[in-house]
């Protein structure tokens, strides 16, 4: 693969999937925070966070949304497979971590070391494409979110991601219907789908769902 444009796209795709090293920590992470601004804002609004809510963010990357959740008074758990992102968040939010308001978990979404029904609200922005088994990841979120709790998922739909050559390297592409079906199969009721707009991505989807009680 000699095309420098494609090589750059492949490198960036790898960093987006699991930011690593000094480049991941000091260049990619703040960049992710900048481009995720619109999706983080919309996801935050859809979560409707109240002080004291136990909120989980999966795939927090640079930590922009973790900061918003903490500022809103939530008790936050951040889970990410990237050691570089865990290290960055540990430093960036050392005060909140020291106060016991932030727990950082180095793990994959499909194996969360959390008790069943221990989370009020969970969110994940631009991470779903990289989950090794999306159905298992969403089922694990259904396990840890209490009945009546909320899940917000933001992602670029397939037709949007296809505009960027990097999508060929490790991204799994989703349409709205597929994600809705995964949510419903895992015990969520989809409440709302909103289209958001930003710069890179131009267009993303934000699905809000409620964890249905076992007998509901
Ligand atoms: C493109 S970044 C998005 C980061 C941030 N949410 C944002 O929108 O800027 C994807 C993040 O998901 C994390 N991630 C990828 N696969 C994961 C998995 N299986 N479980 C948890 N986190 C994962 C990556 O390490 C990375 O931090």
């Amino acid at each position: 693969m000699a095309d420098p444009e494609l090589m750059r796209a492949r490198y960036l795709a790898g960093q987006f999937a699991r930011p690593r090293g000094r480049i991941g920590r000091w260049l990619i992470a703040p960049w992710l925070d900048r481009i995720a601004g619109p999706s983080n804002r919309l996801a935050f609004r859809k979560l409707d966070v109240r002080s004291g809510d136990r909120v989980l963010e999966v795939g927090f990357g640079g930590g922009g949304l973790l900061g918003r959740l903490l500022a809103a008074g939530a008790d936050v758990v951040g889970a990410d497979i990237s050691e570089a992102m865990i290290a960055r968040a540990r430093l960036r939010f050392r005060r909140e971590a020291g106060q016991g308001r932030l727990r950082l978990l180095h793990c994959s979404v499909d194996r969360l070391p959390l008790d069943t029904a221990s989370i009020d609200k969970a969110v994940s922005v631009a991470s779903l494409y990289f989950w090794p088994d999306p159905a298992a990841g969403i089922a694990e979120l259904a396990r840890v979110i209490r009945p009546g709790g909320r899940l917000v998922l933001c992602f670029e739909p397939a037709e949007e991601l296809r505009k960027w050559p990097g999508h060929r390297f490790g991204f799994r592409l989703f349409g709205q219907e597929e994600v809705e079906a995964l949510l419903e199969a895992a015990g969520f009721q989809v409440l709302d789908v909103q289209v958001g707009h930003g710069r890179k991505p131009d267009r993303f989807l934000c699905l809000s769902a409620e964890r249905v009680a076992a007998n509901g």
Side-chain angles (χ1 to χ4, degrees), residues 197-215:
H197 296 275
R199 285 185 56 220
K200 289 187 181 179
D202 300 335
R203 183 172 165 274
F204 56 90
L205 298 178
C206 189
L207 273 67
S208 308
E210 181 177 304
R211 176 76 175 98
V212 178
N215 59 359

Side-chain angles (χ1 to χ4, degrees), residues 124-204:
S124 190
V125 175
S127 179
L128 176 66
Y129 336 104
F130 313 115
W131 297 359
D133 179 344
I138 291 177
E140 181 68 340
L141 288 167
R143 182 185 69 76
V144 301
I145 297 172
R146 67 165 170 79
R150 185 169 301 190
L151 173 61
V152 174
L153 287 180
C154 283
F155 62 98
E156 280 178 66
E159 66 277 12
E160 189 69 28
L161 257 178
R162 277 201 198 96
K163 295 178 189 166
W164 178 55
H167 79 269
R168 283 188 255 165
F169 305 108
F171 281 71
R172 184 179 160 143
L173 306 186
F174 290 92
Q176 177 182 332
E177 294 74 23
E178 187 181 356
V179 177
E180 284 186 355
L182 287 171
L183 287 168
E184 277 158 16
F188 289 98
Q189 182 191 355
V190 178
L191 301 174
D192 173 65
V193 182
Q194 194 159 331
V195 179
H197 296 275
R199 285 185 56 220
K200 289 187 181 179
D202 300 335
R203 183 172 165 274
F204 56 90

Side-chain angles (χ1 to χ4, degrees), residues 16-19 32 36 59-61 80-82 107-109 125-127 130 132:
F16 291 166
R18 184 191 292 229
L32 283 171
F60 54 78
D80 203 295
I81 50 158
S82 160
C107 64
S108 178
V109 61
V125 175
S127 179
F130 313 115

Side-chain angles (χ1 to χ4, degrees), residues 2-128:
D3 180 350
E5 186 79 16
L6 212 54
M7 284 170 71
R8 182 172 176 271
R10 181 158 80 167
Y11 176 75
L12 285 178
Q15 282 284 2
F16 291 166
R18 184 191 292 229
R20 61 193 179 280
R22 282 199 294 248
I23 291 184
R25 185 164 168 182
W26 302 111
L27 286 176
I28 301 290
W31 186 32
L32 283 171
D33 272 350
R34 264 200 312 282
I35 59 181
S39 37
N40 281 345
R41 278 195 292 279
L42 180 56
F44 178 74
R45 198 149 47 76
K46 291 288 167 187
L47 276 176
D48 189 24
V49 177
R50 308 289 159 96
S51 179
D53 274 350
R54 297 161 302 175
V55 182
L56 165 68
E57 183 180 3
V58 170
F60 54 78
L65 183 52
L66 288 180
R68 280 178 183 270
L69 298 170
L70 288 164
D75 282 329
V76 181
V77 180
D80 203 295
I81 50 158
S82 160
E83 281 177 29
M85 296 303 92
I86 296 280
R88 180 182 161 87
R90 196 175 288 132
L91 183 66
R92 180 172 176 185
F93 302 112
R94 55 192 174 282
R95 185 168 50 95
E96 293 86 346
Q99 293 164 345
R101 296 183 46 228
L102 173 66
R103 254 177 90 193
L104 293 167
L105 304 175
H106 182 217
C107 64
S108 178
V109 61
D110 43 310
R111 295 180 70 124
L112 296 168
L114 294 171
D115 289 340
T116 297
S118 60
I119 293 293
D120 298 306
K121 293 168 183 173
V123 60
S124 190
V125 175
S127 179
L128 176 66

